[in-house]
Amino acid sequence: MKRRVIITSDGSTTIQIEDWEEQYHSKHGAIQEAYHVFIKHGLSLFKKGESVSILEIGFGTGLNALVTRIEAEKQNLKIDYKGVEAYPIAKEELRQLNYIKELKAETYQNDFLLMHSAPWEENLVLSASFRLFKEQKDFLNIEDKNLYNLIYFDAFGARVQPELWTEAIFAKMHAALKYKGVLVTYSAKGSVRRVMQAVGFKVERLPGPPGKREMLRAIKTIEE
């Protein structure tokens, strides 16, 4: 499928899959979406000094990992971050991403490059506050149990990949979270909310990022 790097409304880049008319991030602002969905309504729930284990569904461009790395330093959080991705982006695409410039985060340039160049299935220690582990696999093959405090669910939308938004997938997400763990996603579809509830999540609607009226946050309320 044909892919190209485009500029979103906040000036930051994303990758567009032209055949699907789908982007890795919101065309209304990639960085704005990452901060609103995953930092404001996810990471910010944790207090300074806490250890937080994060699973990202759709490592993609590495934007969510980058902003989490930056915020971990600011908030004195200790992050264990696992990014799962079936199809890593190409080196040429990586060279066109402008997140470091737009975030004015030049001190994290080397970290961002290492996030992409580091081997898969190996621990990468970027600092005392951030450790990354990438897995190249299909989301359906995730079998983790009671490991994560927070899940960033950033798969392609249900319109183009409905198989990633099923009860089977969210049952795996529910199992992967620790008790009182949280899952956040940009999606606000009623069908997504219903499958989350069907597997045991308590789900709340929250104001969405620019271009979206709402988003969803789900909490695991069952102790296993």
Side-chain angles (χ1 to χ4, degrees), residues 30-43:
I31 287 175
Q32 286 184 104
E33 179 188 50
Y35 267 94
H36 182 91
V37 176
F38 302 111
I39 303 303
K40 180 179 180 180
H41 291 301
L43 192 68

Side-chain angles (χ1 to χ4, degrees), residues 16-191:
Q16 182 182 64
I17 300 177
E18 293 185 337
D19 293 348
W20 287 352
E21 296 183 359
E22 181 81 355
Q23 294 74 229
Y24 276 63
H25 310 286
S26 172
K27 63 183 180 181
H28 299 285
I31 287 175
Q32 286 184 104
E33 179 188 50
Y35 267 94
H36 182 91
V37 176
F38 302 111
I39 303 303
K40 180 179 180 180
H41 291 301
L43 192 68
S44 66
L45 298 174
F46 299 90
K47 297 176 182 178
K48 287 188 176 183
E50 280 194 85
S51 294
V52 186
S53 181
I54 299 174
L55 171 65
E56 182 181 15
I57 300 301
F59 183 77
T61 66
L63 173 58
N64 297 330
L66 174 63
V67 296
T68 302
R69 164 80 178 96
I70 293 168
E71 293 305 309
E73 201 82 30
K74 291 180 181 178
Q75 300 300 321
N76 191 30
L77 295 169
K78 185 175 181 181
I79 306 290
D80 274 312
Y81 196 105
K82 181 187 282 189
V84 179
E85 176 63 55
Y87 304 102
I89 68 170
K91 290 181 181 179
E92 178 56 34
E93 292 170 328
L94 175 61
R95 284 192 285 268
Q96 297 177 66
L97 301 178
N98 68 356
Y99 304 137
I100 295 295
K101 175 177 176 290
E102 290 298 311
L103 289 164
K104 298 179 174 58
E106 286 74 17
T107 56
Y108 294 95
Q109 172 73 44
N110 190 55
D111 282 6
F112 185 57
L113 294 176
L114 282 171
M115 286 178 177
H116 286 280
S117 63
W120 294 78
E121 283 77 41
E122 290 186 18
N123 280 312
L124 172 66
V125 179
L126 291 173
S127 74
S129 62
F130 194 94
R131 182 173 65 176
L132 172 67
F133 186 87
K134 299 183 298 179
E135 281 192 336
Q136 188 173 353
K137 66 194 301 183
D138 189 285
F139 305 148
L140 278 167
N141 294 327
I142 294 172
E143 299 293 345
D144 296 335
K145 306 291 184 187
N146 297 304
L147 290 181
Y148 305 103
N149 306 108
L150 178 61
I151 292 177
Y152 294 168
F153 198 89
D154 200 18
F156 285 124
R159 177 181 62 86
V160 296
Q161 287 197 307
E163 69 276 12
L164 302 183
W165 300 84
T166 61
E167 192 168 317
I169 288 285
F170 284 105
K172 287 179 178 290
M173 299 301 101
H174 190 271
L177 281 169
K178 297 178 181 180
Y179 175 53
K180 295 186 177 179
V182 174
L183 180 152
V184 283
T185 183
Y186 64 85
S187 178
K189 287 176 70 69
S191 58

